[in-house]
Amino acid sequence: MYDVVLLTLGSERDASGGCGGGGACCGGATGADTDPATGADGGAPGDADRCATGQPRVPVLACADALNARGARVQTVTARSDAEIDEVLSRLDGPPRPDGLTWPDPDGKTRLVVATASDGQLRAVLRRLVRRYAPAPSRRPADLPADRTLPDLPPVAVLPLDPARGGTHRDLAAQLGLPRDPAAVAAAVLGGTPRRLDLLRNDGGSVTLDGALLGAADDAGRPLQWRARVEVDDTILTDGDELLLACAIGNAGGYAMLDDVTLLAAPDPADGQVEVAVAVPVVVRSALGRKRVRLEVRRARGRAVSVLPREGKVPYLDDGVEGELTRKRSWWIEPGAWAVWAS
């Protein structure tokens, strides 16, 4: 018999200083760059009154009923702070290690279902998992894979709370083909198999599950131009001297398209690589000498990517959470570091 925790974050919208970002509210944090010293996202501290206080949503109750019907012991938890998320995650800990590290239990009988209204909420939970189990570089154990900075994270089941995100504007669960019906989610968490996926970590202390899109548009919807140096491993996509319209960093395919332009050709969340693309406006002349602007898309794949803004702030979306990049940011891939329960 399994113990199953159905975890819901206390806010259904992203809030400054939210859960996973060091504040009181839940759902992933908005704001400026993450502080490398604390790992907390920028922006004002979260206010407790921003968090939802109602009863569990209907899909959560339906999933709990389906889990109970299959013989599981179920507890529903609404977390409104990082500490409350961490208390739930502590149930996934393994036995004490000789080196004193906290490590997940590969044979644990507790399984976690995360009810999410957005990819940012799922990211908030994964960020806390990484903080719990990733050892400091000075304490790196010998049994950690050479291409990883953290052990295999415990699998999580995803219970989407927004049916619309399975349609045209697809969330990560839809991209991965995960079940959305509460009964099907219950079947996956109790009788499915873990599907291991790549994780993007960054030097700001956060993680990315789907991808990031750098750039913005004005009030009329016209893309704003900006400059940055973008490198993927040893490949320089742009040296920072030319104007850009967008930069997509893809683990999965949420930011593969920009309007009708294909940025990412074939992002794969399980291939051990990150795909990166920059969109560069290029002026060309026709045979009649007329000037026009075409969009040149440059792509590269690798293990790591860095973006160094040349001036000002670069707005971005990271797993749907807004922020502004003001200094160099690096992402690197952790192959197969996290997992979802799949049917």
Side-chain angles (χ1 to χ4, degrees), residues 2 13 18 42-43 91 101 118 125 150 177 205-207 217 223 228 238 243 249 261 267 297 324:
Y2 289 104
R13 62 186 182 278
R91 308 178 201 188
L101 294 175
S118 68
V125 176
L150 69 164
S206 191
V207 300
T238 175
L243 292 170
I249 299 170
V261 177
V297 178
E324 290 181 330

Side-chain angles (χ1 to χ4, degrees), residues 1-7 64 67-68 70-77 88 91-92 107-113 155 157 186 189-190 341:
M1 179 183 293
Y2 289 104
D3 293 311
V4 179
V5 181
L6 256 168
L7 175 63
L67 289 165
N68 279 314
R70 289 175 169 265
R73 292 184 293 251
V74 183
Q75 181 183 10
T76 59
V77 176
V88 170
R91 308 178 201 188
L92 307 176
D107 301 315
K109 295 301 181 182
T110 298
R111 296 190 171 179
L112 177 64
V113 179
V189 75
L190 295 179
W341 287 106

Side-chain angles (χ1 to χ4, degrees), residues 9 13-16 18-19 26-30 41 120-121 123-124 127 321:
L9 300 192
R13 62 186 182 278
D14 294 330
S16 258
C19 284
C26 304
T30 61
D41 286 286
Q121 290 189 336
R123 182 182 78 158
R127 181 162 50 194
V321 180

Side-chain angles (χ1 to χ4, degrees), residues 84-108:
E84 291 178 352
I85 294 178
D86 292 345
E87 192 283 326
V88 170
L89 301 184
S90 69
R91 308 178 201 188
L92 307 176
D93 291 353
R97 289 170 52 102
D99 56 15
L101 294 175
T102 301
W103 222 246
D105 188 351
D107 301 315

Side-chain angles (χ1 to χ4, degrees), residues 286-306:
S286 68
L288 299 176
R290 296 175 181 173
K291 292 182 179 179
R292 64 180 181 86
V293 177
R294 65 175 178 84
L295 202 59
E296 177 182 302
V297 178
R298 304 171 190 165
R299 304 182 182 93
R301 301 174 65 84
R303 290 292 309 279
V305 54
S306 67

